[in-house]
């Protein structure tokens, strides 16, 4: 049956040019797909989108849709112009958690595509900025059927609303020589410990985990997650002097000085007269620059672990916040290490759930109550690595000073320093 | 209902089953990588094994035909293993070097774009826009498509001083994230309130709490409980709309694009940085938004010509200074560039460091 196609003169212009066009993709669903339901949905979606382009306004509004047993994970979308575009008047998105590290076989991608073909619009995003596979466009009954089907073969919804959200991890150990940790394990242990908090939104606001295997932070964890795990090391970086010499021979001394030696933020590098490199490892802050320039010559050390930063987030409500170092270094080797990582996350989420205001991210709560109070609340001792510099303001009561100083020395003694 | 099925709360799936066998075998044992050509990486493990990665840009929002085409190519040339990056590029993993060139050709022949590695302008990470969000001032996918058409050569090549990450967001809540260049939409007028509906639809205390600048007050309007907005305070963020749709923020005329630069999430050479405003008032001009693209291209050109090797955009500007940046990209500097948010003072110059 031929459908009455909406005219889309503006969208058609997005089919020109060399970059692949999502409009052409939606049109393929409208014109070439064997299922009339999908044809009609794509047609009306294009119609509404063209209407948005003409009038420069969006026409979706929220509502409530969830699958049986869960409270979140679906972004409900109802059209405000559904009378004109009935086939896409309900166009909900299911947020589905990807395998950690975004690894797929084509076989599993096909299986997901087949399921979505039965119930959805046929449009999928790999991945949204929070990390979900986003299955865009299903009506209310279909969300349940689609979820049931993919849930049977191992996929689960992610978070939406005030809850623990879908986590993200970099490719790291699977392919990257810089990785200092097992990102996949940290990712899965953290988020899967909180499945209940993912599916039943009951926290003050969203809470995100992101794991990057080294300080290059390919996952943007420090800026964009409430709980950032960043791989690092604390012994000496590994230097292959022969490769250093090769690099200098290829690029020249001048280039080497300008691009490696003088770019070290802590001036920890010295180029010797014989074209070997000396690293002052006590000054190195493991920024990754010199390793990035010479991935053959320089490698992370052997004593690997992670740094944990809490409270990163985007703009709403008090402006963008970076995460703050809460655990400068933590080994992640044994099962107990991983278990204690999860326990730390539990402690932090519990404290925030109790003390955060409604719609207040963890980082905003820390700003409101103060870092020292937060540390006390989660039972972590202060450490100079948590700050850029100590206090500037003199307006504070310090009558507990002696005791705090004694505790510092006692902790140092306990750590054998 | 009796036939309701309890969900299996399995959470995040185990990726081990979907990972290329060479990556499984050499997990955590990689030695170094090389960049043989744009769009291709060669990783070598201590065992001597190697894996080749071919990266391609797509339209991000994939229809079933496109997804299956990508799978066909993967089956044919790449052992059936793929990985997606944070910026929605697809990566094929290949253990056999001989398959790399045919794979590149197959991708290009099918209309995908091989590139996005090392010092390229990689795919723009973006949000939902008119296709799906409920407070978007513009369409994200459309802006990105139009812009990538113009930047495709910079995706295919690695001619920039360092990598360039571009992001877009369709309102200033900024779900798209921080970028070396960020194109964000700003609503520029306070919400218009349909007072007849507020009492029925909105949970008023939570709407009041949502506002970042405490501009919303409960009020009685026409004898009904409603809300009012102090328009001098309102920063037009739109956050009140999702909990209270009668506070309509979408507005065809007064929605503008703004451009921000210098967001850099890596720790390399310096601590991570946030992006800063450089241009605003850019027309929201579908379907191709040429004004925004023109500014982005000007910034990229000045960066490419002026920055040294390894300098990201924020590092380049730090070296040449903001006054010269505004000159080089021919953008006006106004009072709106002066921060008014909490902690603004930290952005003021309290030295005699002046640029001439
Ligand atoms: C109800 C309308 C909204 C929709 C449909 C929406 C949609 C999205 C989407 C699609 C993403 C990317 C997530 C993903 O792809 O998985 C995202 C991320 C985000 N959203 Fe929203 N959003 C909405 C409202 C808001 C509001 C009101 C806020 C702030 C209060 C907000 C803050 C964010 C932030 C900060 C991110 C970035 C997350 C990150 O950095 O990873 N969004 N949102
Ligand atoms: S964050 Fe580090 S370990 Fe992870 S992919 Fe990036 S460079 Fe590799
Ligand atoms: S990793 Fe960074 S801080 Fe450490 S020596 Fe290299 S450039 Fe310097
Ligand atoms: S940036 Fe704004 S409009 Fe765009 S998806 Fe996020 S909340 Fe919606
Ligand atoms: S648009 Fe933002 S600033 Fe203005 S009233 Fe609504 S929440 Fe407050």
């Amino acid at each position: 049956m031929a459908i009455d196609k909406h005219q889309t003169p503006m969208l058609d212009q997005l089919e020109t040019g060399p970059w692949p066009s999502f409009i052409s993709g939606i049109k393929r669903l409208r014109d070439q797909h064997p299922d009339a339901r999908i044809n009609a949905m794509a047609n009306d979606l294009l119609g509404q989108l063209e209407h948005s382009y003409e009038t420069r306004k969006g026409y979706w509004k929220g509502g409530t849709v969830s699958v049986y047993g869960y409270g979140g994970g679906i972004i409900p979308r109802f059209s405000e112009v559904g009378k004109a575009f009935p086939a896409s008047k309900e166009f909900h998105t299911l947020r589905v958690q990807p395998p950690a590290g975004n690894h797929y076989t084509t076989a599993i991608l096909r299986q997901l595509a087949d399921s979505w073909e039965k119930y959805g619009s046929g449009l999928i995003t790999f991945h949204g900025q929070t990390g979900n596979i986003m299955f865009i466009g299903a009506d209310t009954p279909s969300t349940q059927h689609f979820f049931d089907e993919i849930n049977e073969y191992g996929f689960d919804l992610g978070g939406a609303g005030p809850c623990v959200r879908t986590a993200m991890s970099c490719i790291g150990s699977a392919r990257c020589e810089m990785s200092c940790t097992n990102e996949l394990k940290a990712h899965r242990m953290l988020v899967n410990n909180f499945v209940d908090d993912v599916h039943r939104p009951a926290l003050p606001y969203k809470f995100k985990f992101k794991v990057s295997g080294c300080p290059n932070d390919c996952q943007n964890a420090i800026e964009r997650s409430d709980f950032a795990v960043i791989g690092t090391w604390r012994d000496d970086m590994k230097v292959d002097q022969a490769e250093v010499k090769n690099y200098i021979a290829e690029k020249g001394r001048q280039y080497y000085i300008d691009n490696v030696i003088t770019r070290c933020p802590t001036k920890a590098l010295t180029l010797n007269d014989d074209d070997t490199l000396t690293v002052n490892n006590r000054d190195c802050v493991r920024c990754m620059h010199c390793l990035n320039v010479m991935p053959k010559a320089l490698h992370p050390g052997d004593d690997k672990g992670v740094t944990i930063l809490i409270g990163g987030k985007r703009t709403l409500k008090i402006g963008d916040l970076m995460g703050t170092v809460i655990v400068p270094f933590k080994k992640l080797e044994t099962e107990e290490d991983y278990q204690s990582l999860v326990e730390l996350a539990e402690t932090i989420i519990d404290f925030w759930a109790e003390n955060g205001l409604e719609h207040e991210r963890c980082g905003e709560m820390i700003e409101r109550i103060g870092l020292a109070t937060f540390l006390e609340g989660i039972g972590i001792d202060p450490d100079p690595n948590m700050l850029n510099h100590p206090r500037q303001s003199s307006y504070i009561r310090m009558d507990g000073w002696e005791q705090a100083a004694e505790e510092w020395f006692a902790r140092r003694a306990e750590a054998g320093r | 209902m009796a036939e309701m099925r309890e969900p299996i709360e399995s959470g995040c799936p185990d990726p081990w089953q979907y990972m290329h066998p060479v990556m499984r075998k050499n997990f955590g044992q990689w030695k170094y990588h090389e960049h043989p050509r744009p769009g291709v990486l060669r990783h070598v493990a201590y065992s001597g094994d190697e894996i080749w990665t071919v990266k391609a840009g797509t339209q991000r929002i994939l229809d079933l035909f496109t997804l299956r085409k990508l799978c066909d190519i993967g089956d044919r040339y790449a052992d059936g293993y793929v990985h997606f990056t944070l910026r929605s590029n697809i990566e094929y993993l290949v253990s056999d070097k001989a398959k790399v060139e045919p794979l590149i050709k197959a991708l290009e022949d099918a209309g995908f774009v091989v590139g996005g590695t090392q010092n390229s302008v990689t795919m723009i990470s973006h949000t939902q826009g008119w296709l799906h969000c409920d407070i978007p001032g513009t369409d994200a996918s459309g802006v990105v498509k139009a812009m990538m058409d113009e930047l495709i050569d910079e995706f295919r090549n690695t001619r920039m001083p360092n990598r360039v990450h571009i992001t877009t967001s369709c309102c200033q809540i900024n779900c798209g994230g921080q970028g070396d260049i960020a194109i964000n939409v700003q609503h520029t007028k306070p919400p218009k309130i349909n007072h007849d509906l507020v009492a029925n639809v909105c949970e008023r205390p939570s709407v009041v709490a949502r506002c970042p600048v405490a501009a919303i007050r409960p009020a009685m309007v026409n004898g009904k409980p409603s809300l009012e907005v102090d328009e001098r305070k309102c920063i037009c963020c739109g956050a009140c709309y999702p909990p209270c749709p009668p506070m309509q923020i979408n507005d065809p005329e007064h929605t503008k694009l703004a451009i921000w630069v210098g967001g850099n999430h890596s720790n390399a050479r310096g601590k991570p940085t946030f992006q800063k405003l450089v241009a605003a008032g850019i027309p929201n001009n579908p379907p191709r938004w040429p004004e925004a693209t023109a500014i982005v291209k000007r910034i990229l050109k000045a960066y490419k010509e002026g920055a040294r090797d390894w300098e990201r955009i924020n590092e380049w500007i730090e070296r040449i200074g903001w006054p010269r940046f505004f000159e080089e990209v021919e953008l006006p500097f106004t009072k709106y560039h002066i921060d008014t948010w909490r902690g603004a003072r930290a952005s003021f110059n309290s030295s005699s460091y002046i640029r001439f």
Side-chain angles (χ1 to χ4, degrees):
Chain A
M1 186 191 71
I3 49 171
D4 195 4
K5 290 181 196 173
H6 298 290
Q7 295 297 306
T8 55
M10 291 185 94
L11 298 182
D12 295 349
Q13 293 183 50
L14 288 174
E15 293 190 278
T16 63
W19 193 263
S21 170
F22 70 109
I23 296 298
S24 304
I26 305 175
K27 284 191 182 173
R28 277 192 289 275
L29 293 171
R30 180 192 66 185
D31 299 337
Q32 295 171 25
H33 199 276
D35 185 344
R37 180 187 61 80
I38 287 185
N39 305 146
M41 239 175 154
N43 186 41
D44 277 358
L45 178 69
L46 286 167
Q48 174 168 333
L49 193 57
E50 177 76 15
H51 185 54
S52 277
Y53 271 62
E54 275 165 12
T55 56
R56 286 189 274 168
K57 274 177 69 168
Y59 294 97
W60 298 110
K61 62 175 189 290
T64 358
V65 175
S66 60
V67 297
Y68 176 70
Y70 287 179
I74 296 177
I75 313 279
R77 281 297 169 256
F78 297 91
S79 173
E80 289 171 345
V81 287
K83 280 212 181 70
F85 309 105
S88 59
K89 71 176 194 296
E90 291 187 13
F91 207 71
H92 315 313
T93 287
L94 290 100
R95 288 184 167 173
V96 173
Q97 296 192 54
N102 293 346
H103 300 277
Y104 297 91
T105 54
T106 48
I108 194 67
L109 289 175
R110 286 183 200 280
Q111 195 171 354
L112 289 164
D114 292 348
S115 299
W116 188 234
E117 185 161 47
K118 278 189 231 165
Y119 301 111
S121 69
L123 290 175
I124 316 177
T125 300
F126 291 93
H127 302 84
Q129 294 304 305
T130 302
N132 298 287
I133 318 170
M134 305 217 292
F135 291 88
I136 312 172
D139 61 17
T140 308
S142 299
T143 55
Q144 182 72 52
H145 297 308
F146 174 71
F147 170 71
D148 285 344
E149 186 164 319
I150 64 168
N151 190 228
E152 293 286 343
Y153 59 80
F155 284 79
D156 198 358
L157 291 188
C163 63
V164 170
R165 295 291 181 91
T166 296
M168 292 171 86
S169 50
C170 72
I171 194 163
S173 285
R175 194 192 61 193
C176 182
E177 69 274 15
M178 300 304 173
S179 173
C180 300
T181 190
N182 184 339
E183 302 80 6
L184 308 176
K185 182 160 183 170
H187 172 163
R188 291 189 73 228
M189 282 199 69
L190 283 168
V191 77
N192 286 352
N193 182 66
F194 294 98
V195 281
D196 188 42
D197 289 300
V198 173
H199 297 135
R200 292 169 196 89
L203 295 172
Y205 198 13
K206 61 180 89 165
F207 193 94
K208 298 184 178 180
F209 294 104
K210 293 197 203 298
V211 185
S212 284
C214 82
N216 280 324
D217 193 3
C218 291
Q219 288 307 300
N220 208 342
I222 295 175
E223 281 176 352
R224 304 185 67 181
S225 68
D226 304 87
F227 193 111
V229 180
I230 309 285
T232 189
W233 69 96
R234 62 181 170 184
D235 56 345
D236 293 356
M237 137 184 358
K238 292 186 186 159
V239 185
D240 182 335
Q241 298 291 3
E243 289 291 352
V244 171
K245 286 183 186 173
N246 285 343
Y247 188 85
I248 297 172
E250 189 191 324
K251 289 283 192 179
R253 275 198 131 224
Q254 180 71 47
Y255 184 92
Y256 195 80
I257 291 165
D258 285 350
N259 287 286
V260 181
I261 304 295
T262 59
R263 290 290 173 77
C264 171
T266 52
K267 303 177 179 61
L269 297 174
T270 313
L271 176 61
N272 303 315
D273 285 342
D274 62 354
D275 282 355
T276 56
L277 179 71
T278 301
V279 183
N280 180 345
N281 281 286
R282 287 213 68 182
D283 286 349
C284 170
V285 288
R286 286 156 296 275
C287 83
M288 298 307 292
H289 170 70
C290 60
L291 294 91
N292 291 342
V293 178
M294 298 185 290
K296 266 189 185 167
L298 304 180
H299 293 106
D302 289 319
D303 188 11
K304 292 173 173 147
V306 297
T307 300
I308 297 167
L309 299 94
I310 303 296
K313 58 171 277 293
R314 293 312 328 274
T315 312
L316 204 79
K317 181 170 176 178
I318 61 170
D320 297 52
L321 298 181
M322 303 269 185
T324 299
V325 171
I326 296 295
V327 180
F329 187 83
K330 173 169 178 45
K331 286 298 275 184
L332 272 191
E333 268 171 14
T334 62
E335 284 306 315
E336 294 83 74
D337 292 339
Y338 279 93
Q339 207 48 52
S340 68
L341 176 74
V342 169
E343 280 160 20
L344 174 72
E346 281 173 352
T347 308
I348 288 174
I349 290 180
D350 284 350
F351 181 81
W352 167 64
E354 240 163 70
N355 295 285
L357 306 175
E358 191 192 315
H359 218 254
E360 184 177 59
R361 292 283 284 271
C362 188
E364 293 171 310
M365 175 195 71
I366 294 173
E367 171 142 330
R368 177 171 54 81
I369 67 176
L371 180 60
T373 311
F374 176 67
L375 293 173
E376 232 164 80
I378 61 168
I380 286 192
D381 297 320
D383 183 300
N385 281 305
M386 295 169 180
L387 307 175
N388 288 328
H389 57 74
R391 155 184 300 279
Q392 265 172 268
S393 160
S394 57
Y395 285 3
I396 182 186
R397 278 187 58 167
M398 292 194 260
D399 30 7
W401 172 269
E402 267 80 17
Q403 196 198 333
E406 272 166 33
E407 283 168 10
W408 162 265
F409 286 116
R411 285 200 305 273
R412 302 277 296 176
E414 207 176 310
R417 297 226 218 162
Chain B
M1 274 189 286
E3 67 272 32
M4 283 299 198
R5 163 190 169 278
E6 288 291 337
I8 307 163
E9 301 199 44
S10 46
C12 171
D14 187 349
W16 210 246
Q17 54 188 322
Y18 306 125
M19 198 188 292
H20 194 290
V22 170
M23 292 183 8
R24 261 185 311 211
K25 179 183 160 210
N26 297 286
F27 192 82
Q29 299 300 321
W30 295 96
K31 184 157 183 248
Y32 66 92
H33 77 276
E34 289 173 344
H35 186 247
R37 56 153 278 178
V40 180
L41 301 169
R42 171 178 173 252
H43 283 83
V44 180
Y46 284 103
S47 68
D49 290 351
E50 42 181 62
I51 193 113
W52 298 74
T53 302
V54 176
K55 186 189 270 203
T58 71
Q59 53 271 60
R60 190 180 106 126
I61 296 176
L62 305 176
D63 58 284
L64 291 169
F65 293 97
T66 303
L67 180 59
R68 288 182 177 138
K69 198 190 295 176
L70 290 166
C71 289
D72 290 343
I73 294 172
D75 288 341
R76 190 104 193 257
Y77 302 100
D79 310 337
Y81 293 95
V82 304
H83 164 251
F84 287 93
T85 71
L86 175 74
R87 320 189 80 74
S88 300
N89 295 302
I90 189 166
E91 293 185 336
Y92 290 90
L93 290 314
V94 189
S95 51
D96 176 2
K97 182 185 175 195
K99 290 184 175 165
V100 171
E101 282 304 322
L103 169 58
I104 294 170
K105 183 161 184 321
L107 283 165
E108 293 273 352
D109 287 350
F112 303 109
V113 194
V114 173
T117 49
Q118 221 194 36
N119 297 358
S120 63
V121 177
T122 189
M123 172 63 173
I124 301 175
S125 69
H126 66 91
T127 50
Q128 298 282 59
W130 286 330
L131 197 70
H132 210 251
C133 192
D134 58 356
I135 48 173
T138 195
D139 192 35
S141 313
V143 175
V144 169
K145 154 69 181 156
M147 212 168 269
M148 287 312 289
D149 276 344
E150 305 262 327
L151 301 179
I152 188 165
D153 285 343
E154 299 306 341
F155 182 89
R156 285 199 165 116
N157 290 292
T158 52
R159 303 184 286 213
M160 291 290 157
N162 201 341
R163 67 201 66 218
V164 179
H165 290 164
I166 304 184
T167 68
T168 67
S169 291
C170 32
C171 84
Q172 66 260 56
I173 286 174
N174 200 3
C175 303
Q178 296 273 337
D180 290 294
I181 303 177
I183 303 101
N184 293 351
V185 169
Q186 291 195 277
H187 302 293
T188 65
K189 296 286 177 207
K192 291 190 201 101
I193 307 180
N194 183 341
H195 293 288
D196 294 338
L197 297 179
V198 171
N200 303 333
V201 180
C202 313
E203 206 188 305
R204 288 174 302 138
S206 65
V207 184
V208 171
R210 188 71 68 98
C211 180
V213 291
I216 308 176
R217 286 186 295 257
M220 292 295 282
V221 181
N222 307 328
K224 281 194 199 152
S226 185
L227 295 165
E228 67 183 11
V229 169
D230 181 341
E231 301 205 344
R232 287 162 311 170
K233 276 195 195 166
C234 173
I235 44 114
C236 314
C237 69
C240 49
Y241 176 82
C244 187
M247 298 184 70
Q248 185 58 250
I249 189 78
N250 285 328
D251 175 306
E253 203 181 322
H254 299 291
T255 298
K256 303 285 183 196
L257 278 64
I259 293 182
W260 305 67
V261 304
N264 178 356
H265 60 252
S266 167
N267 288 270
R269 297 171 304 284
K271 295 184 176 181
T273 55
F274 286 132
Q275 61 201 22
K276 279 92 183 167
L277 175 73
V278 294
I282 304 163
N284 184 18
N285 202 356
R288 295 200 65 94
W289 296 271
E291 299 84 356
T293 304
I295 297 175
V296 168
K297 285 171 87 173
R298 243 155 54 208
I299 295 170
L300 285 172
K301 180 164 180 284
Y303 166 62
K304 190 162 140 189
E305 284 167 4
R308 296 179 183 157
D309 285 358
W310 294 98
E311 275 179 345
R312 291 278 289 264
I313 287 184
N314 63 312
E315 297 169 285
W316 163 61
I317 298 173
E318 205 176 304
R319 177 167 57 77
I320 69 169
W322 286 100
R324 203 162 111 213
F325 172 84
F326 279 95
E327 261 169 48
E328 297 217 342
V329 296
E330 291 168 42
L331 289 169
F333 181 84
T334 70
K335 68 177 180 185
Y336 297 102
H337 290 97
I338 302 171
D339 207 340
T340 49
W341 205 246
R342 214 179 276 196
R345 187 166 276 275
S347 66
F348 304 163
N349 182 7
S350 47
S351 74
S352 63
Y353 292 11
I354 306 292
R355 307 268 185 170
F356 298 103

